Amino acid sequence: MAVTRDDVMHIASLARLAIGEERVPELVSQLNAILAHMEVLQQVDTSGVSVGAAVGLERMPLREDAGPPIPLLRPRESFAPEMRDGFFLVPRLATHEDAEEGA
């Protein structure tokens, strides 16, 4: 399967790329070289090659997510003037107040 000038222009339009006419032959050549390389790779005999790592049921072992909490340099209450149920209470933005009044 070879890439044509029309293929390159179609792909460029889908990707919303502005490609000058002078670049089209170069891109056709490069894409055809990539496809030719893929055809060579498809002909490689991989019957004796084991399945790659982290593919299938066997996955890379993960470490346990454990450890002490990292202490803050200042108390949580110093980050905001008010707290409720462990959450910071912050003032509403003026832009949000205007939007609610108009609704």
Side-chain angles (χ1 to χ4, degrees), residues 35-74:
L35 290 177
H37 184 68
M38 293 298 116
E39 288 176 11
V40 170
L41 289 177
Q42 285 180 339
Q43 295 173 3
V44 174
D45 180 22
T46 59
S47 59
V49 178
S50 64
V51 178
V55 176
L57 297 176
E58 297 296 322
R59 292 191 170 96
M60 180 177 281
L62 301 176
R63 67 173 173 80
E64 185 179 333
D65 208 9
I70 300 171
L72 297 174
L73 296 176
R74 299 182 302 181

Side-chain angles (χ1 to χ4, degrees), residues 7-44:
D7 294 331
V8 169
M9 296 307 290
H10 179 69
I11 292 167
S13 70
L14 290 174
R16 296 182 179 160
L17 297 174
I19 296 177
E21 285 295 325
E22 67 280 354
R23 283 281 322 269
V24 173
E26 177 189 0
L27 292 171
V28 168
S29 174
Q30 289 176 356
L31 289 171
N32 281 322
I34 291 169
L35 290 177
H37 184 68
M38 293 298 116
E39 288 176 11
V40 170
L41 289 177
Q42 285 180 339
Q43 295 173 3
V44 174

